[in-house]
Amino acid sequence: MLALLLCCLSLPAMALSVTFINPGKHDEVYWLTATRAMEAAASDLGIRLRVLYAEREHPRVLVLARQIIALPAAQRPDYVVFSNDYGTAPELLRLFEAAGIRSFMAFSGRDDQPGQPPIGLPRMQFRHWLGSLAPRAEDAGYLTARALIERGRRAGLPRMGGKLPLLAIGGDRSTPSSLLRDEGMRRAVTEAGDVVLLQEVHAGWSQPRAQEQADWLFRRYPQARLLWAGNDLMAFGAMDAWRQRGGTPGQDAFFSGINTSAQAMAALRDGSMSALAGGHFIAGAWSLVMLYDYHHGRDFAEEGLELVRPMFTLFDDRSAARFMQRYGKLDFSRVDFRRYSKQHNPGLRRYNFDFRQLL
C-alpha cells in the first residue's frame, strides 16, 4: 500500500486544460497569430490547449459550445475561452453556466446591447463566468486615425471648407472591440479640429467588401484622400480600389490599418500604408496566464473581473522591422510567459499586458 501511495505521489498532476473557441478562420492571419501566441503560453505554463475555429460563421460558435458541453464530464476542459464577436456572449454564457463549465471572455468584452437581457458582472448571474480581458480597443482607432491625420497634414492635402476630408471603413456593428475602434477614430477626428468625417461604413472585416465600398466612397467623395480602416484587410481592399482608379497609396492618398500581418508590416515599411497599430492578438496568451494563476490560487479578481488593458502599439519602420525579425514566422517561443505569471513570480502585484515590452 505504501509503495502504491508513493507511486501515485510521483505521478505528474493532470495538466490544466483550456479550450479556445476561435471566432476567426483557421488561415486568417490575425486569428492564427492569436492562436500561435496562446500555444506558446500554454507550452510555457504546462496547459493542454485545444483550439476550435468558427471560421467567421458566428452561429458556428454556438455549435462548438454545444459540442464541448456534449463531451463526457471527464473529457471536458477545465476552462473555455471565447470572444464576444457578433454579440454571442449572452448565449454562450447561458450554455456554459447550465453545464457547469467555467468560462473566460477574451479579446472582446461584455456589451449589453439594447433588446438583449443584460448578462451582469462576472460571477454573479453566471457564476461560472470568471471574468474577461480585452485590449483597450479605442486606442487602436485613436492612434491610427491621429497618425493618419498628421500624415495628411504633412502632405498638404486639399481641404473642404478648411478641413481635411476623411473616410472610414469599420469592422462590424455588433462586436464591442469593433465599435470601440470606431469611437477612437471619431475621438481623433474631434480632437484634430481640422478634419471632417465624410462617411463611415462597415465591411465586416472583409477585403473584397471593403474594396467595393471604397470604390463607391471615392466616387461619391472625389476630394477625399484619407481613409481609415478598422483592420489591415479592409485597408488593403480600400488601397486596391484606389489603385484601380489610377492612384498610388502613400503618395496621392493615405490609408491606415490595424493588425500585425506580414503584408501590413511590409505596406507600412514601403510607405503604401501610412499608419498601423497592432499587438492585441496577445490577449489570448495573457488570458491563459490569468487562468493559470487562478487555477493555482492566485485569483485575478484582486485587479478586477473585467480587465481592459493597453495592448496596442503604433508601429513605425523600426518597430515593424523588429516585430518581423522576432515574430514574423508566428513563433512566440522566445517569450517566456512564466515571467508574467503571479504564481511563478510571487512578488508580481499587477499584470503588465502592454505588447511593447515584447519588442
Side-chain angles (χ1 to χ4, degrees):
M1 181 66 69
L2 178 60
L4 178 61
L5 177 60
L6 291 173
C7 178
C8 291
L9 289 174
S10 67
L11 292 174
M14 289 293 290
L16 161 64
S17 62
V18 177
T19 294
F20 171 43
I21 300 179
N22 189 321
K25 297 181 179 181
H26 70 280
D27 57 354
E28 186 177 350
V29 174
Y30 171 75
W31 285 112
L32 178 59
T33 306
T35 293
R36 292 288 176 80
M38 292 179 75
E39 289 171 345
S43 177
D44 286 346
L45 298 169
I47 296 173
R48 288 188 292 115
L49 176 67
R50 184 185 183 201
V51 181
L52 305 174
Y53 289 91
E55 304 294 346
R56 284 276 182 202
E57 300 174 11
H58 58 275
R60 182 168 168 74
V61 168
L62 303 178
V63 173
L64 295 173
R66 292 187 178 100
Q67 289 176 359
I68 295 170
I69 293 167
L71 292 171
Q75 296 179 25
R76 289 178 177 178
D78 295 310
Y79 306 92
V80 174
V81 174
F82 66 92
S83 174
N84 190 20
D85 279 46
Y86 299 99
T88 53
E91 183 60 24
L92 286 171
L93 289 172
R94 282 190 284 271
L95 289 170
F96 290 133
E97 183 67 21
I101 296 176
R102 291 175 292 187
S103 64
F104 187 88
M105 198 183 305
F107 297 100
S108 244
R110 173 171 60 98
D111 181 39
D112 294 329
Q113 295 283 346
Q116 283 188 341
I119 62 177
L121 299 174
R123 310 186 191 185
M124 299 293 288
Q125 177 182 348
F126 300 104
R127 295 182 300 107
H128 292 89
W129 172 32
L130 299 179
S132 64
L133 174 67
R136 200 166 64 193
E138 188 180 348
D139 290 353
Y142 178 76
L143 292 171
T144 51
R146 189 175 64 176
L148 181 66
I149 290 166
E150 181 55 35
R151 183 67 184 90
R153 288 170 176 157
R154 293 200 309 271
L157 292 179
R159 295 174 176 250
M160 297 175 57
K163 294 191 174 184
L164 289 168
L166 174 76
L167 300 171
I169 301 180
D172 66 73
R173 300 178 186 272
S174 57
T175 301
S177 61
S178 175
L179 299 174
L180 288 168
R181 292 182 192 187
D182 297 346
E183 287 182 17
M185 174 271 297
R186 290 192 291 269
R187 179 162 66 93
V189 169
T190 300
E191 285 185 6
D194 62 340
V195 179
V196 57
L197 177 59
L198 297 178
Q199 189 166 349
E200 179 182 352
V201 297
H202 292 80
W205 314 107
S206 166
Q207 182 170 342
R209 178 61 176 153
Q211 182 174 347
E212 294 175 4
Q213 290 179 323
D215 180 62
W216 64 256
L217 282 171
F218 289 137
R219 293 176 188 275
R220 185 173 186 180
Y221 305 104
Q223 312 95 322
R225 295 291 186 275
L226 295 177
L227 190 141
W228 177 91
N231 77 347
D232 53 347
L233 293 177
M234 295 186 295
F236 297 144
M239 292 160 69
D240 289 340
W242 186 252
R243 290 188 181 101
Q244 287 184 352
R245 296 177 65 80
T248 305
Q251 295 186 20
D252 47 18
F254 304 98
F255 301 80
S256 71
I258 298 167
N259 281 342
T260 54
S261 67
Q263 187 180 359
M265 293 293 183
L268 180 69
R269 300 191 69 192
D270 69 23
S272 56
M273 188 176 293
S274 297
L276 180 70
H280 57 303
F281 66 82
I282 204 70
W286 294 144
S287 297
L288 292 186
V289 171
M290 293 171 62
L291 288 176
Y292 176 86
D293 287 349
Y294 173 87
H295 195 74
H296 289 86
R298 292 294 302 270
D299 193 345
F300 52 83
E302 61 193 23
E303 292 195 39
L305 296 178
E306 295 179 287
L307 300 185
V308 179
R309 292 291 176 81
M311 294 185 202
F312 285 96
T313 293
L314 185 68
F315 287 92
D316 57 20
D317 186 75
R318 182 177 298 179
S319 56
R322 193 158 55 243
F323 177 90
M324 291 305 297
Q325 179 184 9
R326 296 185 178 184
Y327 310 119
K329 296 182 179 179
L330 305 188
D331 180 3
F332 298 93
S333 60
R334 67 186 299 160
V335 180
D336 182 2
F337 286 95
R338 290 170 298 187
R339 290 181 53 197
Y340 306 98
S341 159
K342 293 180 179 180
Q343 172 67 16
H344 283 285
N345 303 275
L348 184 62
R349 298 302 175 195
R350 181 177 172 82
Y351 291 117
N352 177 9
F353 292 149
D354 196 320
F355 187 78
R356 286 175 293 185
Q357 66 188 311
L358 304 184
L359 291 174

